[in-house]
């Protein structure tokens, strides 16, 4: 009986040791896979972007519609236009969902004001480019994320020459490499009719276009007027989002945060930012704020 009991104990001991070895091997393999994925992501990001930008949201779609196509020949520093952004939900959110939804989700699903503002210019590679700041579209931990783009009226696409920089108040600016539009063709505008729109911003004689990006592209409608700089757009409508002009004009009272100023001046391009919090790219909090 003692021999049987000892043999059983040895069998249990060997099983446990085998399980520990298997678990250790699994942990090591997982670590190797995670490190490999991180390295591949870093290389892919460094090479100019991991994926093409989505073509089914307004913030990226508008980059494919040159202002020159809508009658805006050039920009002046201070040109701005603000819009009321409204997400179009397929089904209304219930009161319970609205109450219990995380704050970040509530922000994204709520109507809000967005602004396009020409805040500066920079001669780059012999070409005159302008800094356009977009605000109100995106958030980081419920804090507004301002988007800074170095663009021209005839091309707003995200490319190595026209990069995208994100800036969240009290955080280090980020050179965003998560998407690109280098090989994305510009939109085709199909004229529908001429119409007068009456909005809170005023009365506008507009040309109504259907925007096409090729087969199977989502339906996008825009109402354009050459008097609305910088985009030339009065209204945009997609199945999931709507932008309507609320004000426009000249605003030369431009406040550029200290941390993004070197980028605007062309001194720093932030080719690689920090990578200590959630991988790369990321944000780093500055305390005390600058």
């Amino acid at each position: 009986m003692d021999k049987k009991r000892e043999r059983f104990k040895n069998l249990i001991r060997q099983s446990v040791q085998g399980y520990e070895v298997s678990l250790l091997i699994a942990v090591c393999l997982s670590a190797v896979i995670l490190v490999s994925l991180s390295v591949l992501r870093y290389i892919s990001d460094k090479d100019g972007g991991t994926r093409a930008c989505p073509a089914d949201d307004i913030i990226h779609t508008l980059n494919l519609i040159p202002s020159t196509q809508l009658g805006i020949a050039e920009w002046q520093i201070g040109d701005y236009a603000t819009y009321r952004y409204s997400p179009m939900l397929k089904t209304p959110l219930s009161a319970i969902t609205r109450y219990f939804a995380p704050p970040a989700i509530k922000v994204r699903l709520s109507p809000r004001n967005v602004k396009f503002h020409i805040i500066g210019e920079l001669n780059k590679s012999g070409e005159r480019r302008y800094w356009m700041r977009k605000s109100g579209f995106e958030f980081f931990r419920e804090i507004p994320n301002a988007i800074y783009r170095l663009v021209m009226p005839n091309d707003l696409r995200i490319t190595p020459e026209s990069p995208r920089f994100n800036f969240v108040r009290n955080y280090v600016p980020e050179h965003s490499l998560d998407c690109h539009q280098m090989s994305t063709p510009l939109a085709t505008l199909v004229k529908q009719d001429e119409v007068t729109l009456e909005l809170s911003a005023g009365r506008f004689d507009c040309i109504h276009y259907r925007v096409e990006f090729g087969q199977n592209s989502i339906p996008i409608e825009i109402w354009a007027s050459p008097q609305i700089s910088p985009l030339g757009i009065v209204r945009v409508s997609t199945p999931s989002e709507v932008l309507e002009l609320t004000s426009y004009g000249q605003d030369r009272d431009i406040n550029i945060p200290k941390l993004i100023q070197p980028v605007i001046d062309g001194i720093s391009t932030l080719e690689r930012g920090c990578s200590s919090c959630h991988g790369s790219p990321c944000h780093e909090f500055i305390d005390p704020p600058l």
Side-chain angles (χ1 to χ4, degrees), residues 48-273:
T50 59
R51 60 183 176 84
C53 292
D56 59 352
D57 61 3
I58 284 179
I59 191 171
H60 293 104
T61 297
L62 293 183
N63 294 338
L64 306 178
I65 306 174
S67 301
T68 50
Q69 279 191 325
L70 303 180
I72 307 295
E74 61 181 20
W75 294 326
Q76 302 294 326
I77 296 177
D79 287 351
Y80 83 93
T82 59
Y83 298 84
R84 186 63 172 171
Y85 170 82
S86 301
M88 305 295 290
L89 303 178
K90 294 182 179 179
T91 57
L93 293 179
S94 66
I96 295 178
T97 301
R98 290 185 181 277
Y99 183 81
F100 287 104
I105 299 297
K106 291 180 181 179
V107 168
R108 285 196 290 270
L109 297 180
S110 300
R112 54 190 182 273
N113 295 324
V114 301
K115 184 176 183 179
F116 297 81
H117 196 184
I118 303 299
I119 62 168
E121 62 179 273
L122 183 69
N123 289 325
K124 185 177 180 181
S125 302
E127 291 183 310
R128 185 183 184 188
R129 296 176 182 267
Y130 295 84
W131 282 107
M132 177 185 290
R133 179 167 59 196
K134 304 178 186 180
S135 55
F137 274 109
E138 298 184 355
F139 297 82
F140 175 75
R141 297 174 182 170
E142 305 169 50
I143 308 172
N145 173 29
I147 302 168
Y148 290 79
R149 297 287 323 285
L150 189 61
V151 293
M152 298 184 294
N154 63 343
D155 197 343
L156 284 74
R157 290 177 293 182
I158 301 174
T159 69
E161 291 75 29
S162 301
R164 165 180 164 145
F165 298 91
N166 298 329
F167 180 72
V168 178
R169 179 174 49 85
N170 295 343
Y171 283 76
V172 170
E174 172 204 350
H175 181 189
S176 178
L177 300 171
D178 62 347
C179 70
H180 64 81
Q181 297 174 312
M182 292 175 289
S183 59
T184 307
L186 297 175
T188 299
L189 303 181
V190 181
K191 184 177 178 179
Q192 302 298 293
D193 53 20
E194 297 183 8
V195 63
T196 299
L197 293 184
E198 293 191 16
L199 306 175
S200 60
R203 180 185 176 95
F204 305 95
D205 294 327
C206 303
I207 300 178
H208 175 203
Y209 295 99
R210 186 178 68 248
V211 184
E212 295 183 350
F213 301 100
Q215 293 183 345
N216 301 321
S217 62
I218 65 170
I220 299 176
E221 311 286 328
I222 65 172
W223 288 260
S225 169
Q227 72 184 95
I228 309 300
S229 186
L231 298 181
I233 291 176
V234 176
R235 189 177 192 271
V236 184
S237 175
T238 79
S240 58
E241 301 164 292
V242 172
L243 277 183
E244 282 193 346
L245 185 72
T246 57
S247 65
Y248 69 101
Q250 265 279 318
D251 179 6
R252 297 187 68 90
D253 184 15
I254 300 169
N255 178 28
I256 300 176
K258 183 177 180 180
L259 286 171
I260 197 72
Q261 186 68 57
V263 177
I264 302 300
D265 293 338
I267 300 172
S268 170
T269 57
L270 289 175
E271 289 299 334
R272 297 302 306 175

Side-chain angles (χ1 to χ4, degrees), residues 29-57:
L29 288 175
S30 299
V32 170
I33 292 173
L34 289 174
V35 171
S36 300
L37 290 175
S38 298
V39 171
L40 289 174
R41 180 184 176 188
Y42 174 83
I43 294 173
S44 179
D45 283 351
K46 192 171 183 180
D47 287 343
T50 59
R51 60 183 176 84
C53 292
D56 59 352
D57 61 3

